[in-house]
Amino acid sequence: MKYLIETWGCQMNDHDSEKLAGLMEKEGFQAAEGVEDADVVLLNTCSIREKAVNKVYTELGRLREEKKRRPLLVGVTGCLAQQEKAGLFRRAPQIDFVLGTMALQQLPRLVEEARAGKARVMDTGDYPDNHLFPPETTLRHSTAKALVTIIEGCNHACTYCIVPTTRGVERHRPWKDVVAEVEDLVAMGFREVELLGQNVNSYLGGCTFAQLLDRVAEVEGLEWIRFTTSHPMNFTEELARTLATNSKVAPFLHLPVQSGSDAVLRRMRREYTVEQYLERLAYLGGARERIHLSTDFIVGFPGETEADFEDTLALLERVRYDQSFSFVYSPRPGTPALRLADDLPQAEKSRRLTRLQARQTELTLESNQRMVGRSLKARVESKGALDGGHWLARTGEWKNVHLAVPEGRRLPFGELVDIRVTGAGPHFLRGELA
């Protein structure tokens, strides 16, 4: 029997797919090369925006046709599964089982019941030990960086966000378990880890998040630590000091602001003002010059005026983010923002998004150009040359580098190499071996 997992969404979903793959292999299944080769297809879904949901239903339509040709089990897990529950069966009756985000270890049972002919198998329960998934069961992707969950769920209540519904309240892994997993990953050959959570810097698994970073950094052989994602209300001076002084913590911070308007932030229930957000950035002090900063923006949130949007552009100019991820507001089922009047035309939302992204592209290009001529380290992230003959590497600042390598020379996948930056575009750097 063979299985295939298709994944949408964030790093947490990517890591959940590694866990699900490990469970399937433990039950004797083997990975399929494609849908046509699979006996079980598992869709690990995202529901943070409507576009992600639509992609899942499009794939379910293709699988419906595949099921007409041959026996095939289709399962849906991830945030859409947790959000819609039995509603998925009504909209897509070709689904055989539904598995929630907080019940991952129930996968073998659901597959067994579906294979035995039971219809509409589902478990979207909240298992209190779901965040304590045994790391040894996880089937790691062949990547240069290992993902490590430290916290699941979120205790904030942003009015636009579905995460508290799909991931539940915060559940923290004990810090000793996290350190032990990182030690095992280094023994497996990984030299970089990314600590994951819906809000990593609210971590309280026996220590603060800053203390956890310092303890993970003590693992011998580990070179870089990354983390995502952070809430500004939990970004402390202690964490800023660790980010500024611990050489193993990569010089990159993703701190979502969402809007530059205090009025919009209040409607979003983000719990801070623009000035309070800027105060937290100031915790970095002089280290801000070398720590590359990214953020998230939501454009066209209900009630956003032209003046509100201009405030967002003003914040962009004031902070001059190295990178940002921006989206038009997407209404999500059951969120408080649905009660707000959303009467801004879609064309105007798109215009604002285009304007914001165009300016960010210019700022990112400027950020990349400032790196030209620098000598630094980058991790090799491809196992061979890409189209055009360049290798892919990534710097500690989370910059993609298209690396010129002499013909016939091979680079060690997953290892750090010394490079010199020779050029820059808005989306990547160009470099050569130093």
Side-chain angles (χ1 to χ4, degrees):
M1 299 287 288
K2 294 186 177 182
Y3 72 94
L4 179 73
I5 301 177
E6 299 182 28
T7 308
W8 292 265
C10 63
Q11 293 97 321
M12 184 72 82
N13 266 24
D14 287 337
H15 191 35
D16 281 351
S17 288
E18 292 182 325
K19 297 174 182 178
L20 295 169
L23 288 169
M24 294 296 285
E25 302 248 342
K26 190 175 180 180
E27 295 299 310
F29 285 79
Q30 296 179 342
E33 293 184 3
V35 170
E36 67 286 344
D37 188 37
D39 300 290
V40 179
V41 174
L42 191 60
L43 306 184
N44 191 10
T45 64
C46 174
S47 65
I48 198 166
R49 282 179 289 277
E50 186 177 9
K51 185 177 181 180
V53 172
N54 290 339
K55 289 180 179 179
V56 174
Y57 283 115
T58 297
E59 181 62 13
L60 282 169
R62 287 194 285 264
L63 292 174
R64 180 185 60 231
E65 299 305 310
E66 184 70 16
K67 289 190 71 166
K68 291 178 181 179
R69 291 189 284 270
R70 63 183 181 87
L72 175 67
L73 291 181
V74 175
V76 178
T77 187
C79 290
L80 183 61
Q82 192 70 40
Q83 173 188 308
E84 296 297 325
K85 298 181 171 63
L88 281 169
F89 295 121
R90 292 190 291 272
R91 180 164 177 179
Q94 65 271 31
I95 297 172
D96 296 289
F97 62 93
V98 171
L99 176 68
T101 57
M102 294 173 275
L104 293 190
Q105 294 188 66
Q106 306 307 308
L107 176 65
R109 175 176 60 82
L110 268 62
V111 172
E112 181 180 355
E113 290 179 4
R115 289 181 65 190
K118 185 176 179 180
R120 297 190 169 190
V121 181
M122 183 175 72
D123 194 335
T124 55
D126 183 356
Y127 290 80
D129 61 348
N130 185 69
H131 65 298
L132 303 177
F133 189 94
E136 64 274 11
T137 299
T138 304
L139 183 65
R140 299 281 173 179
H141 297 319
S142 180
T143 55
K145 174 185 67 179
L147 304 174
V148 178
T149 300
I150 67 166
I151 178 175
E152 292 186 5
C154 183
N155 288 350
H156 292 281
C158 302
T159 58
Y160 56 83
C161 187
I162 197 71
V163 165
T165 298
T166 60
R167 291 286 181 172
V169 298
E170 290 178 1
R171 300 172 305 284
H172 310 257
R173 287 181 67 194
W175 71 265
K176 290 184 179 180
D177 290 1
V178 175
V179 172
E181 181 176 356
V182 173
E183 289 173 340
D184 289 343
L185 290 168
V186 171
M188 293 166 59
F190 290 100
R191 295 292 178 265
E192 179 177 338
V193 297
E194 183 167 10
L195 306 183
L196 301 180
Q198 277 71 44
N199 181 16
V200 289
N201 52 349
S202 67
Y203 176 81
L204 288 174
C207 64
T208 66
F209 181 53
Q211 290 168 338
L212 177 67
L213 288 173
D214 285 334
R215 291 170 181 179
V216 170
E218 292 174 359
V219 175
E220 188 175 351
L222 184 67
E223 295 168 340
W224 281 345
I225 308 168
R226 302 186 188 275
F227 58 90
T228 192
T229 189
S230 299
H231 193 291
M233 290 304 294
N234 301 106
F235 188 74
T236 64
E237 292 182 83
E238 179 193 33
L239 177 54
R241 283 195 300 272
T242 297
L243 185 57
T245 60
N246 193 316
S247 61
K248 286 191 177 182
V249 179
F252 175 82
L253 173 64
H254 182 68
L255 196 64
V257 67
Q258 306 301 359
S259 175
S261 161
D262 285 342
V264 172
L265 291 174
R266 282 193 299 273
R267 289 195 295 277
M268 289 179 169
R269 206 180 295 161
R270 287 292 285 174
E271 306 174 31
Y272 54 82
T273 65
V274 170
E275 285 306 313
Q276 288 170 332
Y277 176 88
L278 294 172
E279 287 171 5
R280 282 158 173 77
L281 283 185
Y283 292 163
L284 294 170
R288 171 66 182 91
E289 293 298 318
R290 63 176 183 79
I291 294 174
H292 284 230
L293 182 66
S294 74
T295 197
D296 292 339
F297 289 111
I298 295 175
V299 173
F301 189 75
E304 182 188 76
T305 65
E306 184 67 26
D308 291 328
F309 176 65
E310 290 295 334
D311 285 343
T312 294
L313 292 179
L315 179 65
L316 183 67
E317 293 296 335
R318 185 171 178 179
V319 178
R320 303 183 75 83
Y321 293 97
D322 298 284
Q323 187 178 8
S324 70
F325 304 90
S326 50
F327 310 91
V328 167
Y329 165 69
S330 182
R332 307 313 306 133
T335 56
L338 289 178
R339 298 194 292 268
L340 301 174
D342 184 13
D343 53 6
L344 190 68
Q346 188 64 37
E348 175 59 19
K349 294 179 181 180
S350 298
R351 182 193 71 82
R352 292 179 185 179
L353 181 67
T354 298
R355 187 177 171 195
L356 175 67
Q357 291 180 338
R359 180 56 182 144
Q360 181 61 69
T361 298
E362 295 173 345
L363 292 173
T364 300
L365 177 59
E366 292 175 12
S367 171
N368 288 349
Q369 288 174 334
R370 288 194 295 271
M371 300 187 76
V372 174
R374 287 184 56 187
S375 295
L376 39 79
K377 291 185 179 295
R379 191 170 308 284
V380 179
E381 293 202 347
S382 64
K383 296 184 178 180
L386 308 173
D387 292 341
H390 293 89
W391 289 63
L392 178 64
R394 198 183 302 269
T395 72
E397 296 83 0
W398 202 241
K399 298 287 189 180
N400 286 325
V401 184
H402 288 184
L403 197 57
V405 176
E407 186 175 355
R409 180 171 176 181
R410 299 197 61 80
L411 299 182
F413 174 74
E415 299 296 323
L416 290 178
V417 293
D418 293 311
I419 70 164
R420 188 175 70 85
V421 180
T422 59
H427 305 297
F428 59 87
L429 306 174
R430 292 182 294 276
E432 61 185 16
L433 295 175

